[in-house]
Amino acid sequence: HCNSQAHRSPCESQEEEDEDEDLEQDAEEVDPLACTLKLRLDGKKKIHEAVLHQDDPLSKVLEVLNVDASEEDVQITCVSKRMIVKSSDEQAMSKTLGDHGL
């Protein structure tokens, strides 16, 4: 039975294709360098979800939220990491999300 694969029913081959698609979707979801952040502007209730790369600088968070920190100082707070960073702290803002442990 050298050609055993040729005798499969169409349903069997479709199931295998579905399994392959599931594996591909799982691979996309588990990006070890991705940082999924839930962001909220102070005084607002809307939660913004952003997927950034761990090599992105912390300042990218402000870009995602379209916040202009040049006119006023903005504070970024991460409750779970007990981290508070002011946008005027250029050194902390230039560190990557990975450096901050996010």
Coordinates of all heavy atoms in Angstrom, one line a residue:
H1 N 0.8 -1.2 0.0 CA 0.0 0.0 0.0 C 0.9 1.3 0.0 O 0.9 2.0 0.9 CB -0.9 0.0 1.2 CG -2.0 -1.0 1.1 ND1 -2.0 -2.1 0.4 CD2 -3.2 -1.0 1.7 CE1 -3.1 -2.7 0.5 NE2 -3.9 -2.1 1.3
C2 N 1.6 1.4 -1.1 CA 2.4 2.6 -1.2 C 1.6 3.9 -1.3 O 2.0 4.9 -0.9 CB 3.3 2.5 -2.4 SG 4.5 1.2 -2.2
N3 N 0.4 3.8 -1.9 CA -0.4 5.0 -2.1 C -1.5 5.1 -1.1 O -2.6 5.5 -1.4 CB -1.0 5.0 -3.5 CG 0.1 5.1 -4.6 OD1 1.2 5.7 -4.3 ND2 -0.1 4.5 -5.7
S4 N -1.2 4.7 0.1 CA -2.3 4.8 1.1 C -2.9 6.2 1.3 O -4.1 6.3 1.6 CB -1.8 4.2 2.5 OG -0.8 5.0 3.0
Q5 N -2.1 7.2 1.1 CA -2.6 8.6 1.3 C -3.6 8.9 0.2 O -4.5 9.7 0.4 CB -1.5 9.6 1.3 CG -0.6 9.4 2.5 CD 0.5 10.5 2.6 OE1 0.7 11.2 1.6 NE2 1.1 10.6 3.7
A6 N -3.4 8.3 -1.0 CA -4.3 8.7 -2.1 C -5.7 8.2 -1.9 O -6.6 8.6 -2.6 CB -3.7 8.1 -3.4
H7 N -5.9 7.2 -1.0 CA -7.3 6.6 -0.8 C -8.0 7.3 0.4 O -9.0 6.8 0.8 CB -7.1 5.1 -0.5 CG -6.6 4.4 -1.7 ND1 -7.3 4.2 -2.9 CD2 -5.4 3.8 -1.9 CE1 -6.5 3.6 -3.7 NE2 -5.3 3.3 -3.1
R8 N -7.5 8.4 0.9 CA -8.2 9.1 2.0 C -9.5 9.7 1.5 O -9.6 10.2 0.4 CB -7.4 10.2 2.6 CG -6.2 9.7 3.4 CD -5.6 10.9 4.0 NE -4.3 10.4 4.6 CZ -3.4 11.2 5.0 NH1 -3.5 12.5 4.9 NH2 -2.3 10.8 5.5
S9 N -10.5 9.8 2.4 CA -11.7 10.4 2.0 C -11.5 11.9 2.1 O -10.6 12.4 2.8 CB -12.8 10.0 3.0 OG -12.6 10.7 4.3
P10 N -12.3 12.7 1.4 CA -12.1 14.2 1.4 C -12.3 14.7 2.8 O -11.7 15.7 3.1 CB -13.2 14.7 0.5 CG -13.6 13.5 -0.3 CD -13.3 12.3 0.4
C11 N -13.1 14.1 3.6 CA -13.3 14.6 5.0 C -12.0 14.5 5.8 O -11.7 15.4 6.6 CB -14.4 13.8 5.7 SG -16.0 14.1 5.0
E12 N -11.3 13.4 5.6 CA -10.0 13.2 6.4 C -9.0 14.3 6.0 O -8.4 14.9 6.9 CB -9.4 11.8 6.1 CG -10.1 10.7 6.8 CD -9.5 9.3 6.4 OE1 -8.3 9.3 6.1 OE2 -10.2 8.4 6.4
S13 N -8.9 14.6 4.7 CA -7.9 15.6 4.3 C -8.3 16.9 4.8 O -7.5 17.8 5.2 CB -7.6 15.6 2.8 OG -8.8 15.8 2.1
Q14 N -9.6 17.2 4.8 CA -10.1 18.5 5.3 C -9.8 18.7 6.8 O -9.4 19.7 7.3 CB -11.6 18.6 5.1 CG -12.2 20.0 5.5 CD -11.6 21.1 4.7 OE1 -11.4 21.1 3.5 NE2 -11.3 22.2 5.4
E15 N -10.0 17.6 7.6 CA -9.7 17.6 9.0 C -8.2 18.0 9.2 O -7.9 18.8 10.1 CB -10.1 16.3 9.7 CG -11.6 16.1 9.8 CD -11.9 14.7 10.4 OE1 -11.0 14.0 10.9 OE2 -13.1 14.3 10.3
E16 N -7.4 17.3 8.5 CA -5.9 17.6 8.6 C -5.6 19.1 8.3 O -4.8 19.7 9.0 CB -5.1 16.7 7.8 CG -5.0 15.3 8.3 CD -4.2 14.4 7.5 OE1 -3.4 14.9 6.6 OE2 -4.2 13.2 7.7
E17 N -6.3 19.6 7.3 CA -6.1 21.0 6.9 C -6.5 21.9 8.0 O -5.9 22.9 8.4 CB -6.8 21.4 5.6 CG -6.1 20.8 4.4 CD -6.9 21.1 3.1 OE1 -7.7 22.0 3.1 OE2 -6.8 20.3 2.2
D18 N -7.7 21.6 8.7 CA -8.2 22.4 9.8 C -7.2 22.3 10.9 O -6.9 23.4 11.6 CB -9.5 21.8 10.2 CG -10.7 22.1 9.2 OD1 -10.4 23.0 8.3 OD2 -11.7 21.5 9.4
E19 N -6.6 21.2 11.2 CA -5.6 21.1 12.3 C -4.4 21.9 12.0 O -3.9 22.6 12.9 CB -5.2 19.6 12.5 CG -6.3 18.8 13.2 CD -5.9 17.3 13.3 OE1 -4.7 17.0 13.2 OE2 -6.8 16.5 13.5
D20 N -4.0 21.9 10.7 CA -2.8 22.8 10.3 C -3.2 24.2 10.6 O -2.3 25.0 11.0 CB -2.5 22.5 8.9 CG -1.8 21.1 8.6 OD1 -1.4 20.5 9.6 OD2 -1.8 20.7 7.5
E21 N -4.4 24.6 10.2 CA -4.8 26.0 10.4 C -4.8 26.4 11.9 O -4.4 27.5 12.3 CB -6.2 26.3 9.8 CG -6.1 26.3 8.3 CD -7.5 26.5 7.7 OE1 -8.4 26.9 8.4 OE2 -7.7 26.2 6.5
D22 N -5.3 25.5 12.7 CA -5.3 25.7 14.1 C -3.9 25.9 14.7 O -3.6 26.8 15.5 CB -6.0 24.6 14.9 CG -7.5 24.5 14.7 OD1 -8.0 25.5 14.2 OD2 -8.1 23.5 15.0
L23 N -2.9 25.1 14.2 CA -1.6 25.2 14.7 C -1.0 26.6 14.2 O -0.3 27.2 15.0 CB -0.7 24.1 14.1 CG -1.0 22.7 14.6 CD1 -0.2 21.6 13.9 CD2 -0.7 22.6 16.1
E24 N -1.3 27.0 13.0 CA -0.8 28.3 12.5 C -1.3 29.4 13.4 O -0.6 30.3 13.7 CB -1.2 28.5 11.1 CG -0.4 27.6 10.1 CD -0.8 27.7 8.7 OE1 -1.5 28.8 8.4 OE2 -0.6 26.8 7.9
Q25 N -2.6 29.4 13.7 CA -3.2 30.4 14.6 C -2.6 30.4 15.9 O -2.3 31.5 16.5 CB -4.7 30.2 14.7 CG -5.4 30.5 13.4 CD -6.9 30.2 13.5 OE1 -7.4 29.6 14.4 NE2 -7.7 30.5 12.4
D26 N -2.3 29.3 16.5 CA -1.7 29.2 17.8 C -0.3 29.8 17.8 O 0.1 30.5 18.7 CB -1.6 27.7 18.3 CG -3.0 27.2 18.7 OD1 -3.9 28.0 18.9 OD2 -3.1 26.0 18.9
A27 N 0.4 29.5 16.7 CA 1.8 30.1 16.6 C 1.7 31.6 16.5 O 2.6 32.2 17.1 CB 2.4 29.5 15.3
E28 N 0.8 32.2 15.9 CA 0.7 33.6 15.8 C 0.4 34.2 17.2 O 0.9 35.3 17.5 CB -0.4 34.0 14.8 CG -0.1 33.8 13.4 CD -1.2 34.1 12.5 OE1 -2.1 34.9 12.9 OE2 -1.2 33.6 11.3
E29 N -0.5 33.6 18.0 CA -0.9 34.1 19.2 C 0.2 34.1 20.3 O 0.2 34.8 21.2 CB -2.1 33.3 19.8 CG -3.4 33.6 18.9 CD -4.5 32.7 19.4 OE1 -4.5 32.1 20.5 OE2 -5.5 32.6 18.6
V30 N 1.2 33.1 20.1 CA 2.2 33.0 21.1 C 3.5 33.6 20.6 O 4.5 32.9 20.4 CB 2.4 31.5 21.5 CG1 3.4 31.3 22.6 CG2 1.1 30.8 21.8
D31 N 3.5 34.9 20.4 CA 4.7 35.6 20.1 C 5.4 36.0 21.4 O 5.0 36.8 22.1 CB 4.4 36.8 19.2 CG 5.6 37.6 18.8 OD1 6.7 37.2 19.2 OD2 5.5 38.6 18.0
P32 N 6.6 35.3 21.6 CA 7.3 35.6 22.9 C 7.8 37.0 23.1 O 8.1 37.4 24.2 CB 8.4 34.6 22.9 CG 8.6 34.3 21.5 CD 7.3 34.4 20.8
L33 N 7.9 37.8 22.0 CA 8.4 39.1 22.0 C 7.3 40.2 22.1 O 7.5 41.4 22.1 CB 9.3 39.4 20.9 CG 10.5 38.4 20.8 CD1 11.4 38.8 19.6 CD2 11.4 38.5 22.0
A34 N 6.0 39.7 22.0 CA 4.9 40.6 22.0 C 4.5 41.0 23.4 O 4.5 40.2 24.3 CB 3.7 40.0 21.3
C35 N 4.1 42.3 23.6 CA 3.6 42.8 24.9 C 2.2 43.3 24.7 O 2.0 44.3 24.0 CB 4.5 43.9 25.4 SG 6.2 43.5 25.8
T36 N 1.3 42.6 25.2 CA -0.1 43.0 25.1 C -0.4 43.9 26.3 O -0.3 43.4 27.5 CB -1.1 41.8 25.1 OG1 -0.7 41.0 24.0 CG2 -2.5 42.3 24.9
L37 N -0.7 45.2 26.1 CA -0.9 46.1 27.2 C -2.4 46.6 27.1 O -2.9 46.9 26.1 CB 0.0 47.3 27.0 CG 1.5 47.0 27.0 CD1 2.3 48.3 26.7 CD2 2.0 46.4 28.3
K38 N -3.0 46.8 28.3 CA -4.3 47.4 28.4 C -4.0 48.8 29.0 O -3.4 48.9 30.0 CB -5.2 46.6 29.3 CG -5.6 45.3 28.6 CD -6.7 44.6 29.4 CE -7.0 43.3 28.7 NZ -8.1 42.6 29.3
L39 N -4.4 49.8 28.2 CA -4.0 51.2 28.5 C -5.3 52.0 28.8 O -6.3 51.8 28.1 CB -3.2 51.8 27.4 CG -2.0 51.0 26.8 CD1 -1.6 51.6 25.5 CD2 -0.9 51.0 27.9
R40 N -5.2 52.9 29.8 CA -6.3 53.8 30.1 C -5.7 55.2 30.4 O -4.8 55.3 31.2 CB -7.1 53.3 31.3 CG -8.3 54.1 31.6 CD -9.1 53.5 32.7 NE -8.4 53.5 34.0 CZ -8.2 54.6 34.8 NH1 -8.7 55.7 34.5 NH2 -7.5 54.4 35.9
L41 N -6.3 56.2 29.8 CA -5.9 57.5 30.1 C -6.6 57.9 31.4 O -7.8 57.6 31.7 CB -6.3 58.5 29.0 CG -5.6 58.3 27.7 CD1 -6.3 59.1 26.6 CD2 -4.2 58.7 27.8
D42 N -5.9 58.6 32.3 CA -6.4 59.0 33.6 C -7.6 59.9 33.4 O -7.6 60.8 32.5 CB -5.3 59.8 34.4 CG -5.7 60.0 35.8 OD1 -6.4 59.1 36.4 OD2 -5.3 61.0 36.4
G43 N -8.7 59.7 34.1 CA -9.9 60.4 34.0 C -10.9 59.9 32.9 O -12.0 60.4 32.8
K44 N -10.4 58.9 32.2 CA -11.3 58.3 31.1 C -11.5 56.9 31.5 O -10.8 56.2 32.2 CB -10.5 58.3 29.8 CG -10.0 59.7 29.3 CD -11.1 60.5 28.8 CE -10.4 61.8 28.3 NZ -11.4 62.8 27.8
K45 N -12.7 56.3 31.0 CA -13.0 55.0 31.3 C -12.6 54.0 30.3 O -12.5 52.8 30.5 CB -14.5 54.9 31.6 CG -14.9 55.6 32.9 CD -16.4 55.3 33.2 CE -16.7 56.0 34.6 NZ -18.0 55.7 35.0
K46 N -12.4 54.5 29.0 CA -12.1 53.6 27.9 C -10.8 52.9 28.1 O -9.8 53.6 28.3 CB -12.2 54.4 26.6 CG -12.0 53.5 25.4 CD -12.2 54.2 24.1 CE -12.0 53.2 22.9 NZ -12.0 53.9 21.7
I47 N -10.8 51.6 27.9 CA -9.5 50.8 27.9 C -9.1 50.6 26.5 O -9.8 50.1 25.6 CB -9.8 49.5 28.6 CG1 -10.3 49.6 30.0 CG2 -8.5 48.6 28.6 CD1 -9.3 50.0 31.1
H48 N -7.8 50.9 26.2 CA -7.2 50.7 24.9 C -6.3 49.5 25.0 O -5.6 49.4 25.9 CB -6.4 51.9 24.4 CG -7.1 53.2 24.4 ND1 -7.8 53.6 23.3 CD2 -7.4 54.1 25.4 CE1 -8.4 54.8 23.5 NE2 -8.1 55.1 24.8
E49 N -6.4 48.6 24.1 CA -5.6 47.4 24.1 C -4.6 47.6 23.0 O -4.9 47.9 21.8 CB -6.4 46.1 23.9 CG -5.5 44.9 24.2 CD -6.3 43.6 24.5 OE1 -7.3 43.7 25.2 OE2 -6.0 42.6 23.9
A50 N -3.3 47.4 23.3 CA -2.2 47.6 22.3 C -1.3 46.4 22.4 O -1.0 45.9 23.5 CB -1.5 48.9 22.5
V51 N -0.8 45.9 21.2 CA 0.2 44.9 21.2 C 1.4 45.5 20.6 O 1.5 46.0 19.5 CB -0.3 43.7 20.2 CG1 0.8 42.7 20.2 CG2 -1.6 43.1 20.7
L52 N 2.4 45.6 21.5 CA 3.7 46.2 21.2 C 4.8 45.2 21.2 O 4.5 44.1 21.7 CB 4.0 47.4 22.1 CG 3.0 48.5 22.1 CD1 3.4 49.5 23.2 CD2 2.9 49.2 20.8
H53 N 5.9 45.5 20.8 CA 7.1 44.6 20.8 C 7.9 44.9 22.0 O 8.0 46.0 22.4 CB 7.9 44.8 19.5 CG 8.9 43.7 19.3 ND1 10.2 43.7 19.7 CD2 8.8 42.6 18.6 CE1 10.8 42.7 19.3 NE2 10.0 41.9 18.6
Q54 N 8.5 43.9 22.6 CA 9.3 44.1 23.9 C 10.5 45.0 23.6 O 11.0 45.6 24.6 CB 9.7 42.8 24.5 CG 10.9 42.1 23.9 CD 11.3 40.9 24.7 OE1 10.5 40.4 25.6 NE2 12.5 40.4 24.5
D55 N 10.9 45.1 22.4 CA 12.0 46.0 22.0 C 11.6 47.5 21.8 O 12.4 48.3 21.5 CB 12.8 45.5 20.8 CG 13.5 44.2 21.1 OD1 13.8 43.9 22.3 OD2 13.8 43.4 20.2
D56 N 10.3 47.7 21.8 CA 9.8 49.1 21.6 C 10.1 49.9 22.9 O 10.0 49.4 24.0 CB 8.2 49.1 21.4 CG 7.8 48.6 20.1 OD1 8.6 48.7 19.1 OD2 6.7 48.1 19.9
P57 N 10.4 51.2 22.7 CA 10.7 52.0 23.8 C 9.3 52.3 24.6 O 8.3 52.3 23.9 CB 11.3 53.3 23.2 CG 10.8 53.3 21.8 CD 10.6 51.9 21.4
L58 N 9.4 52.7 25.8 CA 8.2 53.0 26.6 C 7.5 54.2 26.0 O 6.2 54.2 26.1 CB 8.6 53.3 28.0 CG 7.5 53.5 29.0 CD1 6.6 52.3 29.1 CD2 8.0 53.9 30.4
S59 N 8.2 55.1 25.3 CA 7.5 56.2 24.7 C 6.5 55.8 23.6 O 5.6 56.6 23.3 CB 8.6 57.1 24.1 OG 9.4 56.4 23.1
K60 N 6.6 54.6 23.1 CA 5.7 54.1 22.1 C 4.3 54.0 22.6 O 3.3 54.1 21.9 CB 6.2 52.7 21.6 CG 5.3 52.1 20.5 CD 5.8 52.4 19.2 CE 5.0 51.6 18.2 NZ 5.5 51.8 16.8
V61 N 4.1 53.8 24.0 CA 2.8 53.8 24.6 C 2.1 55.1 24.4 O 0.9 55.1 24.1 CB 3.0 53.5 26.1 CG1 1.6 53.7 26.8 CG2 3.5 52.1 26.3
L62 N 2.8 56.2 24.5 CA 2.2 57.5 24.2 C 1.8 57.7 22.8 O 0.7 58.2 22.5 CB 3.1 58.6 24.7 CG 3.5 58.6 26.1 CD1 4.5 59.8 26.4 CD2 2.3 58.7 27.0
E63 N 2.6 57.1 21.9 CA 2.2 57.2 20.4 C 0.9 56.4 20.2 O 0.1 56.9 19.4 CB 3.4 56.6 19.6 CG 4.6 57.4 19.5 CD 5.7 56.7 18.7 OE1 5.4 56.0 17.7 OE2 6.9 56.9 19.1
V64 N 0.8 55.2 20.8 CA -0.4 54.4 20.5 C -1.6 55.2 21.0 O -2.7 55.1 20.4 CB -0.2 53.1 21.3 CG1 -1.5 52.3 21.3 CG2 0.8 52.2 20.6
L65 N -1.5 55.9 22.1 CA -2.7 56.6 22.7 C -2.8 58.0 22.0 O -3.7 58.8 22.4 CB -2.5 56.8 24.2 CG -2.6 55.5 25.0 CD1 -2.3 55.7 26.4 CD2 -4.0 54.8 24.8
N66 N -1.9 58.4 21.1 CA -1.9 59.7 20.5 C -1.8 60.8 21.6 O -2.6 61.8 21.5 CB -3.2 59.9 19.6 CG -3.2 59.0 18.4 OD1 -2.1 58.8 17.8 ND2 -4.3 58.5 18.1
V67 N -0.9 60.6 22.5 CA -0.7 61.6 23.6 C 0.5 62.4 23.2 O 1.6 61.9 23.0 CB -0.6 60.9 24.9 CG1 -0.2 61.9 26.0 CG2 -1.8 60.2 25.3
D68 N 0.4 63.7 23.2 CA 1.5 64.6 23.0 C 2.1 65.1 24.3 O 1.5 65.9 25.0 CB 1.0 65.9 22.2 CG 2.2 66.8 21.9 OD1 3.3 66.4 22.1 OD2 1.9 67.9 21.4
A69 N 3.2 64.5 24.6 CA 3.9 64.8 25.9 C 4.8 66.0 25.9 O 5.4 66.3 26.9 CB 4.6 63.5 26.4
S70 N 4.9 66.6 24.7 CA 5.8 67.7 24.6 C 5.2 69.0 25.3 O 6.0 69.8 25.7 CB 6.0 68.0 23.1 OG 4.8 68.4 22.5
E71 N 3.9 69.1 25.4 CA 3.3 70.3 26.0 C 3.1 70.1 27.5 O 3.2 71.1 28.2 CB 1.9 70.5 25.4 CG 2.1 71.0 23.9 CD 0.8 71.3 23.3 OE1 -0.2 71.5 24.0 OE2 0.7 71.3 22.0
E72 N 2.9 68.9 28.0 CA 2.7 68.7 29.4 C 3.3 67.4 29.8 O 3.4 66.5 29.0 CB 1.3 68.9 29.9 CG 0.3 67.8 29.3 CD -1.1 68.0 29.8 OE1 -1.3 68.1 31.1 OE2 -2.0 67.9 29.0
D73 N 3.7 67.3 31.1 CA 4.3 66.0 31.6 C 3.2 65.0 31.7 O 2.1 65.3 32.3 CB 5.0 66.3 32.9 CG 6.1 65.3 33.2 OD1 6.5 64.6 32.3 OD2 6.5 65.3 34.4
V74 N 3.4 63.8 31.2 CA 2.5 62.7 31.3 C 3.0 61.6 32.2 O 4.2 61.3 32.2 CB 2.2 62.1 29.9 CG1 1.2 61.0 30.0 CG2 1.6 63.2 29.0
Q75 N 2.2 61.0 33.0 CA 2.7 60.0 33.9 C 2.2 58.6 33.4 O 1.0 58.5 33.2 CB 2.2 60.2 35.3 CG 2.6 59.2 36.4 CD 2.2 59.6 37.8 OE1 2.7 60.5 38.3 NE2 1.2 58.9 38.3
I76 N 3.1 57.7 33.3 CA 2.7 56.3 33.0 C 2.8 55.5 34.2 O 3.9 55.4 34.9 CB 3.6 55.7 31.9 CG1 3.5 56.6 30.6 CG2 3.3 54.3 31.6 CD1 4.4 56.2 29.5
T77 N 1.7 54.8 34.6 CA 1.7 54.0 35.8 C 1.4 52.5 35.4 O 0.4 52.3 34.7 CB 0.6 54.5 36.8 OG1 0.9 55.9 37.0 CG2 0.7 53.7 38.1
C78 N 2.2 51.6 35.9 CA 1.9 50.2 35.8 C 1.7 49.6 37.2 O 2.6 49.5 38.0 CB 3.0 49.4 35.1 SG 2.7 47.7 35.0
V79 N 0.4 49.4 37.6 CA 0.1 49.0 38.9 C 0.7 47.6 39.2 O 1.3 47.5 40.3 CB -1.4 48.9 39.1 CG1 -1.8 48.4 40.5 CG2 -2.1 50.3 38.9
S80 N 0.7 46.7 38.3 CA 1.2 45.3 38.6 C 2.7 45.3 38.8 O 3.2 44.5 39.6 CB 0.8 44.3 37.5 OG 1.4 44.6 36.3
K81 N 3.4 46.2 38.1 CA 4.9 46.3 38.2 C 5.3 47.3 39.2 O 6.5 47.5 39.4 CB 5.5 46.6 36.9 CG 5.3 45.5 35.8 CD 6.1 44.2 36.2 CE 5.9 43.2 35.2 NZ 6.5 41.9 35.5
R82 N 4.3 48.0 39.8 CA 4.6 49.1 40.8 C 5.6 50.1 40.2 O 6.6 50.5 40.7 CB 5.1 48.6 42.1 CG 4.1 47.7 42.8 CD 4.6 47.4 44.2 NE 3.5 46.8 44.9 CZ 3.5 45.5 45.4 NH1 4.5 44.8 45.1 NH2 2.5 45.0 46.0
M83 N 5.3 50.5 38.9 CA 6.2 51.4 38.2 C 5.4 52.7 37.9 O 4.3 52.7 37.4 CB 6.6 50.7 36.9 CG 7.4 51.6 36.0 SD 7.7 50.8 34.4 CE 6.2 51.2 33.5
I84 N 6.1 53.8 38.1 CA 5.6 55.1 37.7 C 6.7 55.9 37.0 O 7.8 56.0 37.5 CB 5.1 56.0 39.0 CG1 4.0 55.2 39.7 CG2 4.7 57.4 38.6 CD1 3.6 55.9 41.0
V85 N 6.4 56.3 35.8 CA 7.4 57.0 35.0 C 6.8 58.2 34.4 O 5.6 58.2 33.9 CB 7.9 56.1 33.8 CG1 8.8 56.8 32.9 CG2 8.5 54.8 34.3
K86 N 7.5 59.3 34.5 CA 7.0 60.6 33.9 C 7.6 60.7 32.5 O 8.7 60.3 32.3 CB 7.5 61.8 34.8 CG 7.0 61.8 36.2 CD 6.1 63.0 36.4 CE 5.7 63.0 37.9 NZ 4.3 63.3 38.0
S87 N 6.8 61.3 31.6 CA 7.3 61.4 30.2 C 8.5 62.3 30.1 O 9.3 62.2 29.1 CB 6.2 61.9 29.4 OG 5.7 63.2 29.8
S88 N 8.8 63.1 31.1 CA 9.9 64.0 31.1 C 11.2 63.2 31.4 O 12.3 63.7 31.2 CB 9.8 65.2 32.1 OG 9.6 64.7 33.4
D89 N 11.1 62.0 31.9 CA 12.3 61.2 32.2 C 12.7 60.5 31.0 O 12.3 59.4 30.7 CB 11.9 60.2 33.3 CG 13.1 59.3 33.8 OD1 14.1 59.3 33.1 OD2 12.9 58.6 34.8
E90 N 13.6 61.2 30.2 CA 14.0 60.7 28.9 C 14.7 59.3 29.0 O 14.5 58.5 28.1 CB 14.9 61.7 28.2 CG 14.2 63.0 27.8 CD 15.1 64.0 27.2 OE1 16.1 63.6 26.6 OE2 14.7 65.2 27.2
Q91 N 15.4 59.1 30.0 CA 16.2 57.8 30.2 C 15.2 56.7 30.3 O 15.3 55.7 29.7 CB 17.1 57.9 31.4 CG 18.0 56.6 31.5 CD 18.9 56.7 32.7 OE1 18.9 57.7 33.4 NE2 19.8 55.7 32.8
A92 N 14.2 56.8 31.2 CA 13.2 55.8 31.4 C 12.3 55.6 30.2 O 11.9 54.5 29.8 CB 12.3 56.1 32.6
M93 N 12.0 56.7 29.5 CA 11.1 56.6 28.3 C 11.8 55.9 27.2 O 11.2 55.3 26.3 CB 10.6 58.0 27.9 CG 9.7 58.6 28.9 SD 8.1 57.7 29.2 CE 7.3 58.0 27.7
S94 N 13.1 56.0 27.1 CA 13.9 55.4 26.0 C 14.2 53.9 26.3 O 14.5 53.2 25.3 CB 15.1 56.1 25.7 OG 16.0 56.1 26.8
K95 N 14.0 53.5 27.5 CA 14.2 52.0 27.8 C 13.1 51.2 27.1 O 12.0 51.7 26.9 CB 14.1 51.8 29.3 CG 15.3 52.1 30.1 CD 15.1 51.7 31.5 CE 16.4 52.0 32.4 NZ 16.1 51.5 33.7
T96 N 13.4 50.0 26.8 CA 12.4 49.1 26.1 C 11.4 48.6 27.1 O 11.6 48.6 28.3 CB 13.1 48.0 25.4 OG1 13.6 47.1 26.4 CG2 14.1 48.4 24.4
L97 N 10.3 48.1 26.5 CA 9.3 47.5 27.4 C 9.9 46.3 28.1 O 9.5 46.0 29.3 CB 8.1 47.1 26.6 CG 7.3 48.2 25.9 CD1 6.2 47.7 25.0 CD2 6.7 49.2 26.8
G98 N 10.7 45.6 27.4 CA 11.4 44.4 28.0 C 12.3 44.8 29.2 O 12.3 44.2 30.2
D99 N 13.0 46.0 29.0 CA 13.9 46.5 30.1 C 13.0 46.8 31.4 O 13.5 46.7 32.5 CB 14.6 47.7 29.7 CG 15.7 47.4 28.7 OD1 16.1 46.3 28.5 OD2 16.1 48.4 28.0
H100 N 11.8 47.3 31.1 CA 10.9 47.7 32.2 C 10.2 46.4 32.8 O 9.5 46.5 33.8 CB 9.9 48.7 31.8 CG 10.4 50.1 31.7 ND1 10.8 50.8 32.8 CD2 10.7 50.8 30.6 CE1 11.2 52.0 32.4 NE2 11.2 52.1 31.0
G101 N 10.4 45.3 32.1 CA 9.7 44.0 32.6 C 8.3 43.9 32.3 O 7.5 43.2 32.9
L102 N 7.8 44.6 31.2 CA 6.4 44.6 30.8 C 6.1 43.5 29.9 O 6.7 43.0 29.1 CB 6.0 45.9 30.2 CG 6.1 47.1 31.1 CD1 5.8 48.4 30.4 CD2 5.2 47.0 32.3

